[in-house]
Amino acid sequence: MQGFTAWIMALALMVMAINTQAQSSKPDTPSVLVSIHPIAMLIKSAWPDLHVTTLMKPNQSPHDFALKPSHRRLVAQSQHVIWLGDEMEPYLTKLVAGHTSALDLSGLFELAEEANDHHDGHNHGEHDPHIWLNPNAISSILNMVQQQLSLQEPNAFLQQLAQWQLKAKTQLEGLDAGFISFHDAFHYWINYFALNQVAALALNPEQPIGTRHLVKVRQILSDGKATCLFIEPQFKASIVKKLQQGTNVPVVDIDPIGSQFNVNDGKFFAFYDYLLMQFQTCLKAK
Protein backbone atom coordinates (compact mmCIF):
# COMPACT_ATOMS: atom_id res chain seq x y z
CA MET A 1 0.00 0.00 0.00
CA GLN A 2 2.84 2.35 0.86
CA GLY A 3 4.45 1.61 -2.49
CA PHE A 4 1.18 2.46 -4.29
CA THR A 5 0.83 5.74 -2.33
CA ALA A 6 4.41 6.67 -3.16
CA TRP A 7 3.74 5.93 -6.83
CA ILE A 8 0.61 8.14 -6.81
CA MET A 9 2.55 11.01 -5.20
CA ALA A 10 5.37 10.65 -7.72
CA LEU A 11 2.85 10.68 -10.57
CA ALA A 12 1.16 13.80 -9.16
CA LEU A 13 4.52 15.56 -8.86
CA MET A 14 5.34 14.62 -12.45
CA VAL A 15 2.03 16.06 -13.71
CA MET A 16 2.63 19.29 -11.76
CA ALA A 17 6.11 19.57 -13.23
CA ILE A 18 4.78 19.06 -16.76
CA ASN A 19 2.06 21.71 -16.23
CA THR A 20 4.57 24.17 -14.80
CA GLN A 21 6.89 23.65 -17.75
CA ALA A 22 4.03 24.08 -20.21
CA GLN A 23 2.97 27.33 -18.55
CA SER A 24 6.49 28.69 -18.48
CA SER A 25 6.94 27.84 -22.16
CA LYS A 26 3.91 29.92 -23.14
CA PRO A 27 4.92 33.33 -24.56
CA ASP A 28 4.35 36.14 -22.10
CA THR A 29 1.80 38.82 -22.93
CA PRO A 30 3.79 41.61 -24.61
CA SER A 31 4.47 44.64 -22.46
CA VAL A 32 4.82 48.03 -24.05
CA LEU A 33 5.91 51.45 -22.80
CA VAL A 34 4.26 54.35 -24.63
CA SER A 35 5.65 57.85 -24.37
CA ILE A 36 2.29 59.65 -24.04
CA HIS A 37 -1.08 58.90 -22.47
CA PRO A 38 -3.53 59.09 -25.43
CA ILE A 39 -1.49 56.73 -27.63
CA ALA A 40 -1.21 54.30 -24.71
CA MET A 41 -4.98 54.50 -24.23
CA LEU A 42 -5.52 53.79 -27.93
CA ILE A 43 -3.24 50.73 -27.91
CA LYS A 44 -4.76 49.31 -24.73
CA SER A 45 -8.25 49.79 -26.17
CA ALA A 46 -7.34 47.92 -29.36
CA TRP A 47 -5.55 45.06 -27.55
CA PRO A 48 -6.99 44.76 -24.00
CA ASP A 49 -4.63 41.88 -23.09
CA LEU A 50 -1.50 43.95 -23.62
CA HIS A 51 0.39 45.26 -20.61
CA VAL A 52 0.62 48.99 -21.38
CA THR A 53 2.37 51.67 -19.34
CA THR A 54 3.14 55.32 -20.05
CA LEU A 55 6.28 57.38 -19.64
CA MET A 56 4.49 60.65 -18.88
CA LYS A 57 1.80 61.20 -16.28
CA PRO A 58 -1.74 61.41 -17.73
CA ASN A 59 -2.15 65.13 -17.01
CA GLN A 60 1.35 66.10 -18.17
CA SER A 61 1.86 68.04 -21.37
CA PRO A 62 4.63 66.78 -23.68
CA HIS A 63 5.53 70.44 -24.21
CA ASP A 64 7.13 70.77 -20.75
CA PHE A 65 8.32 67.21 -20.08
CA ALA A 66 11.68 66.69 -18.32
CA LEU A 67 13.43 63.31 -18.34
CA LYS A 68 14.24 61.78 -14.92
CA PRO A 69 16.38 58.75 -13.89
CA SER A 70 13.16 56.80 -13.26
CA HIS A 71 12.14 57.38 -16.89
CA ARG A 72 15.50 56.03 -18.07
CA ARG A 73 14.95 52.86 -16.06
CA LEU A 74 11.44 52.45 -17.49
CA VAL A 75 12.75 52.63 -21.05
CA ALA A 76 15.60 50.23 -20.34
CA GLN A 77 13.32 47.68 -18.66
CA SER A 78 10.50 47.77 -21.23
CA GLN A 79 10.02 45.00 -23.78
CA HIS A 80 8.71 47.43 -26.42
CA VAL A 81 8.81 51.24 -26.62
CA ILE A 82 6.48 53.38 -28.74
CA TRP A 83 7.24 57.08 -29.18
CA LEU A 84 6.66 60.05 -31.52
CA GLY A 85 10.20 60.41 -32.86
CA ASP A 86 13.11 62.76 -32.24
CA GLU A 87 11.42 65.87 -33.68
CA MET A 88 8.57 65.66 -31.16
CA GLU A 89 10.38 63.94 -28.27
CA PRO A 90 14.11 64.73 -28.63
CA TYR A 91 14.71 63.90 -24.96
CA LEU A 92 14.10 60.22 -25.80
CA THR A 93 16.37 59.97 -28.86
CA LYS A 94 19.49 58.63 -27.13
CA LEU A 95 17.54 56.33 -24.82
CA VAL A 96 15.53 54.76 -27.60
CA ALA A 97 18.51 54.42 -29.95
CA GLY A 98 19.87 51.51 -27.92
CA HIS A 99 16.54 49.75 -27.40
CA THR A 100 15.94 46.40 -29.12
CA SER A 101 12.27 47.10 -29.98
CA ALA A 102 11.34 50.76 -30.45
CA LEU A 103 8.57 51.99 -32.72
CA ASP A 104 8.78 55.57 -34.04
CA LEU A 105 5.35 56.87 -35.14
CA SER A 106 6.65 60.11 -36.66
CA GLY A 107 6.40 58.74 -40.20
CA LEU A 108 2.63 59.11 -39.92
CA PHE A 109 2.68 62.90 -39.48
CA GLU A 110 3.24 63.83 -43.12
CA LEU A 111 0.81 61.18 -44.34
CA ALA A 112 -1.85 62.41 -41.92
CA GLU A 113 -1.42 66.03 -42.95
CA GLU A 114 -1.54 65.17 -46.66
CA ALA A 115 -4.68 63.07 -46.13
CA ASN A 116 -6.35 65.87 -44.18
CA ASP A 117 -5.45 68.59 -46.73
CA HIS A 118 -3.75 70.66 -44.05
CA HIS A 119 -4.69 74.34 -44.37
CA ASP A 120 -5.62 75.81 -41.01
CA GLY A 121 -2.64 78.04 -40.31
CA HIS A 122 -0.41 75.61 -38.43
CA ASN A 123 3.21 76.49 -39.13
CA HIS A 124 4.35 74.88 -42.36
CA GLY A 125 7.51 72.82 -41.98
CA GLU A 126 6.41 71.77 -38.49
CA HIS A 127 4.45 68.58 -37.90
CA ASP A 128 1.58 68.46 -35.44
CA PRO A 129 2.24 65.73 -32.85
CA HIS A 130 -1.44 65.29 -31.96
CA ILE A 131 -1.78 62.35 -34.34
CA TRP A 132 -4.33 60.58 -32.09
CA LEU A 133 -6.80 63.39 -32.82
CA ASN A 134 -6.96 62.33 -36.46
CA PRO A 135 -9.60 59.60 -36.91
CA ASN A 136 -8.09 58.87 -40.33
CA ALA A 137 -4.73 57.99 -38.76
CA ILE A 138 -5.95 55.58 -36.08
CA SER A 139 -5.87 52.46 -38.26
CA SER A 140 -2.36 53.34 -39.49
CA ILE A 141 -1.10 53.74 -35.92
CA LEU A 142 -2.57 50.37 -34.95
CA ASN A 143 -1.17 48.71 -38.06
CA MET A 144 2.36 49.86 -37.15
CA VAL A 145 1.93 48.61 -33.59
CA GLN A 146 0.54 45.29 -34.81
CA GLN A 147 3.54 44.74 -37.10
CA GLN A 148 6.09 45.74 -34.45
CA LEU A 149 4.63 43.55 -31.68
CA SER A 150 3.42 40.68 -33.93
CA LEU A 151 -0.17 41.04 -32.75
CA GLN A 152 -3.48 39.97 -34.25
CA GLU A 153 -5.48 42.54 -36.19
CA PRO A 154 -7.76 44.56 -33.87
CA ASN A 155 -10.82 43.90 -36.02
CA ALA A 156 -13.42 44.57 -33.32
CA PHE A 157 -11.84 47.92 -32.50
CA LEU A 158 -11.63 48.95 -36.16
CA GLN A 159 -15.31 48.10 -36.64
CA GLN A 160 -16.15 50.32 -33.67
CA LEU A 161 -14.00 53.07 -35.17
CA ALA A 162 -15.89 52.96 -38.47
CA GLN A 163 -19.21 53.17 -36.62
CA TRP A 164 -17.97 56.04 -34.47
CA GLN A 165 -16.78 58.00 -37.50
CA LEU A 166 -20.21 57.77 -39.13
CA LYS A 167 -21.93 58.85 -35.90
CA ALA A 168 -19.56 61.73 -35.23
CA LYS A 169 -19.73 63.16 -38.75
CA THR A 170 -23.51 63.10 -38.55
CA GLN A 171 -23.52 64.92 -35.21
CA LEU A 172 -21.05 67.63 -36.25
CA GLU A 173 -22.37 68.11 -39.77
CA GLY A 174 -23.43 71.68 -40.44
CA LEU A 175 -21.94 73.08 -37.21
CA ASP A 176 -19.81 75.75 -38.87
CA ALA A 177 -19.72 78.40 -36.15
CA GLY A 178 -16.30 79.90 -35.48
CA PHE A 179 -14.39 79.09 -32.30
CA ILE A 180 -11.03 79.83 -30.67
CA SER A 181 -8.71 77.22 -29.20
CA PHE A 182 -6.31 78.02 -26.38
CA HIS A 183 -3.65 75.82 -27.96
CA ASP A 184 -3.34 74.84 -31.62
CA ALA A 185 -3.85 71.13 -30.89
CA PHE A 186 -6.88 70.23 -32.97
CA HIS A 187 -5.97 70.85 -36.60
CA TYR A 188 -6.30 67.13 -37.56
CA TRP A 189 -9.71 66.96 -35.87
CA ILE A 190 -10.79 70.30 -37.34
CA ASN A 191 -9.83 69.35 -40.89
CA TYR A 192 -11.39 65.90 -40.61
CA PHE A 193 -14.76 67.32 -39.55
CA ALA A 194 -14.47 70.55 -41.62
CA LEU A 195 -14.84 72.77 -38.54
CA ASN A 196 -14.14 76.50 -38.31
CA GLN A 197 -11.33 77.44 -35.91
CA VAL A 198 -10.94 81.19 -36.36
CA ALA A 199 -7.89 81.51 -34.11
CA ALA A 200 -5.64 79.74 -31.61
CA LEU A 201 -4.49 81.74 -28.62
CA ALA A 202 -1.16 79.90 -28.27
CA LEU A 203 0.26 78.67 -31.55
CA ASN A 204 3.14 77.13 -29.62
CA PRO A 205 2.70 76.60 -25.84
CA GLU A 206 6.46 76.74 -25.34
CA GLN A 207 6.58 80.38 -26.46
CA PRO A 208 4.96 83.47 -24.87
CA ILE A 209 1.87 84.87 -26.52
CA GLY A 210 2.65 88.09 -28.37
CA THR A 211 0.76 91.28 -27.60
CA ARG A 212 -0.23 91.80 -31.23
CA HIS A 213 -1.73 88.32 -31.39
CA LEU A 214 -3.61 88.89 -28.13
CA VAL A 215 -5.14 92.07 -29.54
CA LYS A 216 -6.19 90.18 -32.67
CA VAL A 217 -7.86 87.41 -30.65
CA ARG A 218 -9.56 89.96 -28.41
CA GLN A 219 -10.97 91.69 -31.50
CA ILE A 220 -12.36 88.39 -32.83
CA LEU A 221 -14.14 87.85 -29.51
CA SER A 222 -15.45 91.43 -29.41
CA ASP A 223 -16.77 91.14 -32.97
CA GLY A 224 -18.76 88.01 -32.07
CA LYS A 225 -16.91 85.85 -34.60
CA ALA A 226 -16.28 83.06 -32.07
CA THR A 227 -19.05 81.08 -30.42
CA CYS A 228 -16.75 79.79 -27.65
CA LEU A 229 -13.20 79.68 -26.37
CA PHE A 230 -11.64 76.30 -25.60
CA ILE A 231 -9.20 76.04 -22.68
CA GLU A 232 -7.10 73.06 -21.61
CA PRO A 233 -6.18 71.81 -18.11
CA GLN A 234 -2.50 71.34 -19.00
CA PHE A 235 -1.88 75.06 -19.45
CA LYS A 236 -2.30 78.12 -17.24
CA ALA A 237 -5.14 80.12 -18.72
CA SER A 238 -5.33 83.19 -16.46
CA ILE A 239 -5.14 85.32 -19.59
CA VAL A 240 -8.49 83.93 -20.71
CA LYS A 241 -10.37 85.98 -18.08
CA LYS A 242 -8.89 89.18 -19.45
CA LEU A 243 -9.84 88.20 -22.97
CA GLN A 244 -13.39 87.42 -21.87
CA GLN A 245 -14.05 90.73 -20.14
CA GLY A 246 -16.84 92.65 -21.82
CA THR A 247 -17.93 89.73 -23.99
CA ASN A 248 -20.46 86.94 -23.52
CA VAL A 249 -18.33 84.28 -25.20
CA PRO A 250 -18.43 81.11 -23.06
CA VAL A 251 -15.36 79.10 -22.11
CA VAL A 252 -15.51 75.35 -22.73
CA ASP A 253 -13.01 72.99 -21.08
CA ILE A 254 -11.37 70.45 -23.37
CA ASP A 255 -8.51 68.02 -22.83
CA PRO A 256 -6.83 66.78 -26.03
CA ILE A 257 -4.74 64.31 -24.02
CA GLY A 258 -7.71 62.62 -22.32
CA SER A 259 -6.00 62.67 -18.94
CA GLN A 260 -9.23 61.86 -17.07
CA PHE A 261 -9.41 58.44 -18.78
CA ASN A 262 -7.41 55.59 -17.25
CA VAL A 263 -5.20 53.72 -19.74
CA ASN A 264 -6.04 50.31 -18.27
CA ASP A 265 -9.78 50.90 -18.73
CA GLY A 266 -9.26 50.85 -22.49
CA LYS A 267 -11.88 53.50 -23.22
CA PHE A 268 -10.53 55.31 -26.24
CA PHE A 269 -14.00 55.74 -27.72
CA ALA A 270 -15.21 57.27 -24.46
CA PHE A 271 -12.39 59.80 -24.91
CA TYR A 272 -13.48 60.46 -28.51
CA ASP A 273 -17.10 60.81 -27.37
CA TYR A 274 -15.99 63.33 -24.74
CA LEU A 275 -14.25 65.44 -27.41
CA LEU A 276 -17.31 65.16 -29.63
CA MET A 277 -19.55 66.37 -26.80
CA GLN A 278 -17.29 69.34 -25.99
CA PHE A 279 -17.27 70.46 -29.61
CA GLN A 280 -21.05 70.16 -29.78
CA THR A 281 -21.34 72.17 -26.56
CA CYS A 282 -19.18 74.89 -28.05
CA LEU A 283 -20.66 75.03 -31.52
CA LYS A 284 -24.24 75.05 -30.27
CA ALA A 285 -23.52 77.73 -27.66
CA LYS A 286 -25.37 80.40 -29.64
Side-chain angles (χ1 to χ4, degrees):
M1 186 69 181
Q2 288 181 347
F4 179 75
T5 302
W7 180 81
I8 290 294
M9 290 181 64
L11 182 62
L13 289 171
M14 187 183 300
V15 171
M16 289 175 62
I18 291 171
N19 287 339
T20 301
Q21 184 177 2
Q23 290 175 1
S24 63
S25 65
K26 291 180 182 178
D28 292 335
T29 302
S31 63
V32 55
L33 175 68
V34 186
S35 60
I36 56 172
H37 179 81
I39 299 291
M41 181 167 48
L42 169 61
I43 293 170
K44 182 67 175 179
S45 301
W47 292 282
D49 291 336
L50 279 182
H51 179 64
V52 181
T53 55
T54 56
L55 191 68
M56 299 182 197
K57 294 179 180 179
N59 61 350
Q60 186 168 21
S61 168
H63 296 284
D64 56 9
F65 178 73
L67 203 61
K68 298 178 181 178
S70 59
H71 297 135
R72 298 177 187 277
R73 287 193 296 271
L74 270 176
V75 172
Q77 295 168 1
S78 297
Q79 189 177 0
H80 303 278
V81 176
I82 297 175
W83 66 312
L84 298 181
D86 53 12
E87 180 184 344
M88 304 301 169
E89 298 170 333
Y91 40 80
L92 289 179
T93 302
K94 291 183 179 179
L95 282 181
V96 171
H99 201 279
T100 56
S101 178
L103 175 60
D104 177 353
L105 296 177
S106 63
L108 294 174
F109 297 140
E110 288 186 12
L111 293 175
E113 289 170 6
E114 288 172 5
N116 263 16
D117 188 23
H118 177 57
H119 56 71
D120 68 352
H122 194 82
N123 293 338
H124 290 282
E126 295 182 7
H127 299 308
D128 187 337
H130 305 86
I131 192 74
W132 62 91
L133 296 180
N134 183 0
N136 273 337
I138 297 301
S139 59
S140 297
I141 295 172
L142 296 182
N143 183 59
M144 291 181 71
V145 174
Q146 179 199 343
Q147 300 284 338
Q148 181 75 12
L149 276 66
S150 300
L151 301 170
Q152 292 186 338
E153 291 187 18
N155 292 323
F157 182 91
L158 292 175
Q159 288 174 2
Q160 281 185 277
L161 175 63
Q163 292 169 0
W164 185 90
Q165 288 173 294
L166 288 173
K167 176 190 76 173
K169 284 205 167 186
T170 299
Q171 292 184 11
L172 290 179
E173 187 176 7
L175 298 181
D176 57 357
F179 62 92
I180 295 174
S181 297
F182 177 76
H183 163 218
D184 193 17
F186 293 98
H187 94 264
Y188 292 128
W189 183 276
I190 290 164
N191 287 342
Y192 178 80
F193 289 109
L195 302 176
N196 182 21
Q197 176 177 284
V198 293
L201 186 57
L203 297 177
N204 184 342
E206 297 174 352
Q207 298 175 357
I209 302 169
T211 303
R212 184 179 298 178
H213 185 65
L214 279 176
V215 171
K216 178 182 176 182
V217 173
R218 170 68 186 179
Q219 190 62 50
I220 291 172
L221 290 170
S222 298
D223 292 345
K225 295 179 180 178
T227 190
C228 90
L229 173 60
F230 281 122
I231 61 170
E232 303 168 34
Q234 288 83 15
F235 302 107
K236 294 179 181 179
S238 56
I239 198 168
V240 170
K241 292 182 179 179
K242 294 181 181 179
L243 284 171
Q244 263 193 305
Q245 287 177 357
T247 75
N248 60 354
V249 179
V251 166
V252 175
D253 293 326
I254 197 163
D255 183 2
I257 296 177
S259 58
Q260 68 270 46
F261 297 94
N262 190 302
V263 166
N264 289 321
D265 290 340
K267 292 186 176 180
F268 188 79
F269 290 114
F271 166 51
Y272 258 22
D273 278 338
Y274 153 78
L275 294 177
L276 182 61
M277 182 178 67
Q278 298 308 92
F279 270 92
Q280 287 179 293
T281 299
C282 168
L283 299 177
K284 292 179 178 180
K286 287 186 178 181

